[in-house]
Amino acid sequence: MAEDALVVAGRTFGSRLIMGTGGAPSMSVLESALTASGTELTTVALRRVDPSAQGTVLQVLDRLGIAVLPNTAGCFTSAEAVLTAQLGREALGTDWVKLEVIADEVTLLPDPVETLDAAERLVADGFTVLPYTNDDPVLARRLEDVGCAAVMPLGAPIGSGLGIRNPHNIEMIVERAGVPVVLDAGIGTASEAALAMELGCDAVLLASAVTRCHDPVAMATAMRHAVVAGRLAAGAGRIPVRRYAEASSAMAGRID
Amino acid sequence: MAEDALVVAGRTFGSRLIMGTGGAPSMSVLESALTASGTELTTVALRRVDPSAQGTVLQVLDRLGIAVLPNTAGCFTSAEAVLTAQLGREALGTDWVKLEVIADEVTLLPDPVETLDAAERLVADGFTVLPYTNDDPVLARRLEDVGCAAVMPLGAPIGSGLGIRNPHNIEMIVERAGVPVVLDAGIGTASEAALAMELGCDAVLLASAVTRCHDPVAMATAMRHAVVAGRLAAGAGRIPVRRYAEASSAMAGRID
Amino acid sequence: MAEDALVVAGRTFGSRLIMGTGGAPSMSVLESALTASGTELTTVALRRVDPSAQGTVLQVLDRLGIAVLPNTAGCFTSAEAVLTAQLGREALGTDWVKLEVIADEVTLLPDPVETLDAAERLVADGFTVLPYTNDDPVLARRLEDVGCAAVMPLGAPIGSGLGIRNPHNIEMIVERAGVPVVLDAGIGTASEAALAMELGCDAVLLASAVTRCHDPVAMATAMRHAVVAGRLAAGAGRIPVRRYAEASSAMAGRID
Amino acid sequence: MAEDALVVAGRTFGSRLIMGTGGAPSMSVLESALTASGTELTTVALRRVDPSAQGTVLQVLDRLGIAVLPNTAGCFTSAEAVLTAQLGREALGTDWVKLEVIADEVTLLPDPVETLDAAERLVADGFTVLPYTNDDPVLARRLEDVGCAAVMPLGAPIGSGLGIRNPHNIEMIVERAGVPVVLDAGIGTASEAALAMELGCDAVLLASAVTRCHDPVAMATAMRHAVVAGRLAAGAGRIPVRRYAEASSAMAGRID
């Protein structure tokens, strides 16, 4: 799989599974799950970490050699998100940011206007911006146009486990994208992660599906396999969907 | 995964992916795909093999150490299927049989009445019977009641690539089954194989999805990962589906 | 709509909505709902009616001029169903019967083998048989072959309100049927009744969706409109499904 | 149904079906279809009508007594849409406008940023604004917050006939809306219009489904029934979805 690495803004990742850390029952379970997932990139909420504290998520990631993708979770406006990102850059020494600007605390849905505004500002300020967005193909294109390094559409609301509610939109985003597309939010189980990849996504980002299930290590392992499965299937040129079996005339030369 | 082996009628298989062989573009591609799939059990049409011929599927399976599951594909009546199975037992030296009694050549759907009749006769004749059936929970139960060693409901018509059309029925079959349930027919891509396992199936059987796609080896590898992913996810206790994120009060003691 | 009547075994019905009576909160609500539905054929459980009693469902139907379709609900074997039908014929003076042979009291799913056997016997005994069946296209064809006057596949288990779980199967049944196809069981709301008709069904049979909802008269009215809507839509030659709007070149001569 | 009228910005409409006019094969078919639909409000593209010309759509609507809802179809920027709306107001003498600002000519998807900007400007200029939008609950809320009189989310791309791709989003929009929600775009057949109403929409807007199908008058009639059906069903308090029939203990006091 080395030749099929994920490349975002010039950096290469061997795994196409990006993890979040929220919701784990303990730091040791989180560490085991991250290891089992095979992830090489994990997102951490800037508003919830103290880089100088002991026993933190950042230390776990450092020990595991997993790159940190700071995120602006908990920000409701462009201004908040920009400031949070800037403080995070100082503290963590990375100009990568997963941009999250949510509209409210109930749905946790992204605010399209504030997100686009923040993306433009952060790009102008030298950040490598990976924005969390809804599944609107137009907005995804707009985010790419202002210089985002990837687009990260949701499959369903954060933490819902509803999977990919509108595969048609995800396919449209993928078709029109010139940057990597990361399915972010909504995944509840392995088949959904595989489906995201089959729809053409370049990677999958998930947290709750692993951290909040009964057996995070098992699910992390499942997700690792699912992302590989979906990626391979996407490239294998699947059989067409038809109502019945292929007519026998089309099978000439094939083994029966 | 050794402790999570598939057990059918007392025999143990390390892989939960059962392969068919129809439709491969060449014997060498078939061999590579079977190897990539990791399968330990592969079904072969009794009506299409000559056990004494050179360069056959049987020789490939023998070389790879994959167990043979003869099937009665092409039979339209109980009588035909029973006779075919009996001749196969003589020729191949196994009393295992995948029972297929189809209703017509267009849909290739199983005939429920003939299938149940044949199953009963074959069990009485000492066969270990794994019947291909529709997704009716009642018929599945009936097949188990007459002594079948597994039940193999379809997800969709053979070769259709339509996936699992009625997950609700598959779940009902699984809940009520005392023998292994193998999702047989309809799978077109990896996420669907993972879903079958998440619904509680014990194994997945597929052929066209691998043999007729553009890159059978890639898809076989994808299916291997997908079945593992789905199995692990099924056991991991997935998060519940909800409309929005979990309420924060439920997150007490968890890492944010 | 007079020219588009439902014809079953030579009898003509102006409405394509067939009602059941189980579950109504009171006889007067039932009467109002039946009237609102516009139904001209309503099924009644033979095991639950006493033709000689006062204030019964049969008297309501008689008063409303709605034809009675006796059913064998509650029968678990072919023998029981045949006997029940025969007693009903004596008592009610009709040789029409909705054949129901269920497998168990939890799922209420039809038993395919017992149903087919009973259908064959009842046809031989001069009945006009309308069997409740699963959604297996093969069994539907078998039931027609033994002389049933219609086939009545389920959309989902009785009383589940799950709608039509496998539209693909219903379409296959319709395509291959030479007798009317009545979608029976599973409907929970109006759009699902419309969908049944769009899939090509000749009629819809439902009970719980109306009798057990909060406002049976409103829902009965909704179902009346939904069945008309679906029937008209099925005949109107709907636009093809495509990913985007029709290319403008195809719009030559059309009004923009 | 008089007591259940649609009210938008203080105006009352007896029908909850809003029609578009694009794509009809002839003016006479359009007239018949509009009549059959029962619509009382129909949208017309400002860029395609000449109010002074003879034999136009506007004359048909005037003759039928159907209110005109001018739209800004074909506009790609807020500035274009605002100018088009202003010219239309002069010419047609109405300050109602269906705001459409699309992102490109292939998908015809609405541009969220330009749409919100135009909505704000048009409201400030005294228009009654009904914006066509994607199915993002956050944007819908934003449009309401700037003073739109209704929100009109798509079910799927214009002209696609794909139905409602994400019912979950439509439900979220409905729940949070303080103005009428009109499902606009994507509807291909009657059951989908019924579903829109069942999800809680206040009205349905469609054009191609009627004008481009084989029998526009039949489909217009179907849509009229479907919208009524869906509205009634939405208010009737449907039965809950469950896997099997209601347990009999819950049926106490009900008729069997």
Side-chain angles (χ1 to χ4, degrees), chain B residues 37-125:
Chain B
S37 76
T39 185
E40 300 183 6
L41 182 64
T42 292
T43 182
V44 173
L46 285 164
R47 302 198 130 190
R48 296 192 189 115
V49 295
D50 174 356
S52 64
Q54 297 298 307
T56 63
V57 168
L58 292 175
Q59 290 179 322
V60 169
L61 297 178
D62 184 58
R63 183 162 60 242
L64 298 175
I66 297 172
V68 177
L69 175 61
N71 71 57
T72 64
C75 293
F76 292 85
T77 64
S78 170
E80 268 186 290
V82 169
L83 181 60
T84 300
Q86 288 166 337
L87 294 172
R89 177 166 57 180
E90 297 262 331
L92 298 179
T94 174
D95 56 10
W96 280 45
V97 64
K98 179 190 167 191
L99 174 62
E100 279 189 52
V101 190
I102 59 172
D104 63 80
E105 283 181 312
V106 176
T107 65
L108 304 182
L109 290 172
D111 185 305
V113 178
E114 297 294 318
T115 299
L116 182 60
D117 184 76
E120 199 158 7
R121 291 173 193 266
L122 288 169
V123 169
D125 193 22

Side-chain angles (χ1 to χ4, degrees), chain D residues 1 6-7 27-28 38 46 66 72 76 80-81 90 112 164 167 170-171 174 180 185 195 204 208-209 249 252-253:
Chain D
M1 298 288 287
L6 172 67
V7 180
M27 203 59 80
S28 73
L46 284 165
I66 296 172
T72 62
F76 292 86
E80 270 186 290
E90 297 263 331
I164 301 174
I170 301 298
E171 282 183 309
V174 166
L195 175 59
V204 170
S208 306
S249 60

Side-chain angles (χ1 to χ4, degrees), chain A residues 94-230:
Chain A
T94 173
D95 57 11
W96 281 45
V97 65
K98 179 189 168 192
L99 174 62
E100 280 189 53
V101 190
I102 58 172
D104 63 80
E105 283 181 315
V106 176
T107 66
L108 303 183
L109 290 172
D111 185 305
V113 177
E114 296 294 317
T115 298
L116 182 60
D117 185 75
E120 200 159 5
R121 291 172 192 265
L122 288 169
V123 168
D125 193 22
F127 281 90
T128 295
V129 182
L130 296 84
Y132 168 58
T133 175
N134 60 28
D135 64 359
D136 177 9
V138 177
L139 185 62
R141 184 75 207 181
R142 284 263 196 158
L143 288 163
E144 179 178 344
D145 288 346
V146 301
C148 289
V151 289
M152 307 180 67
L154 55 77
I158 293 173
S160 67
L162 282 163
I164 301 175
R165 303 313 285 174
N166 194 340
H168 187 250
N169 269 12
I170 300 299
E171 282 183 309
M172 279 201 280
I173 290 172
V174 166
E175 274 175 18
R176 299 151 61 91
V179 293
V181 176
V182 182
L183 198 289
D184 180 5
I187 298 295
T189 186
S191 58
E192 296 161 358
L195 175 59
M197 299 304 292
E198 289 167 356
L199 292 171
C201 291
D202 298 274
V204 171
L205 193 162
L206 55 87
S208 306
V210 163
T211 59
R212 295 185 195 280
C213 79
H214 287 178
D215 186 345
V217 175
M219 189 61 92
T221 311
M223 292 298 183
R224 177 163 58 84
H225 284 284
V227 168
V228 170

